[in-house]
Amino acid sequence: QVQLVESGGGSVQAGGSLRLSCTGSGDTASIEFMGWFRQAPGKEREGVASIAPRSGATFYRDSVKGRFTISQDITTKILYLQMDSLRPDDSATYYCACTPRDHIGVFNPSSFSYWGQGTQVTVSS
């Protein structure tokens, strides 16, 4: 079992920045992928960025490339999502997730086993 807790959401104006954090506990040594997902009201949950902790390989959906950066601190077991140049369409509840599976769709929510409670991000125009 793995427990995930997100923090760092909030409200910003378009063009601003936020950094989300996700602290993991429990059987984190088994994790093969970690990711950030988001879900806006009335929309499906979508993958934003993922990272393979062992290799450091990162993956981004096209709409956030060049604006968002996923990173990890292995020592503290914290996952980050640095979000710059935020746009109103980035507004959503953001979730941290992880999985012990090593062959997955990195943006597929059904591939991830453990989820945080979510943190709200609101970007105003």
Side-chain angles (χ1 to χ4, degrees):
Q1 290 289 325
V2 176
Q3 295 78 44
L4 302 171
V5 179
E6 303 100 333
S7 61
S11 297
V12 296
Q13 290 191 327
S17 298
L18 284 173
R19 188 176 78 160
L20 306 183
S21 300
C22 174
T23 302
S25 60
D27 187 19
T28 56
S30 67
I31 297 307
E32 294 292 337
F33 281 93
M34 297 194 73
W36 289 98
F37 292 77
R38 66 187 181 188
Q39 188 168 20
K43 296 188 176 181
E44 293 187 352
R45 190 169 298 189
E46 63 181 18
V48 175
S50 296
I51 186 169
R54 302 186 198 281
S55 68
T58 57
F59 309 87
Y60 297 94
R61 73 180 297 111
D62 287 345
S63 62
V64 307
K65 285 180 180 177
R67 300 190 299 121
F68 290 11
T69 304
I70 188 171
S71 62
Q72 60 178 343
D73 185 321
I74 296 176
T75 301
T76 59
K77 301 178 182 178
I78 298 177
L79 181 72
Y80 298 100
L81 185 67
Q82 177 67 41
M83 304 186 293
D84 299 317
S85 301
L86 282 161
R87 308 185 310 213
D89 62 357
D90 293 318
S91 298
T93 300
Y94 282 70
Y95 298 90
C96 171
C98 65
T99 178
R101 297 169 56 189
D102 58 2
H103 288 86
I104 65 166
V106 294
F107 298 135
N108 185 350
S110 64
S111 295
F112 288 75
S113 306
Y114 304 104
W115 293 84
Q117 81 287 354
T119 185
Q120 180 67 38
V121 171
T122 303
V123 185
S124 59
S125 58

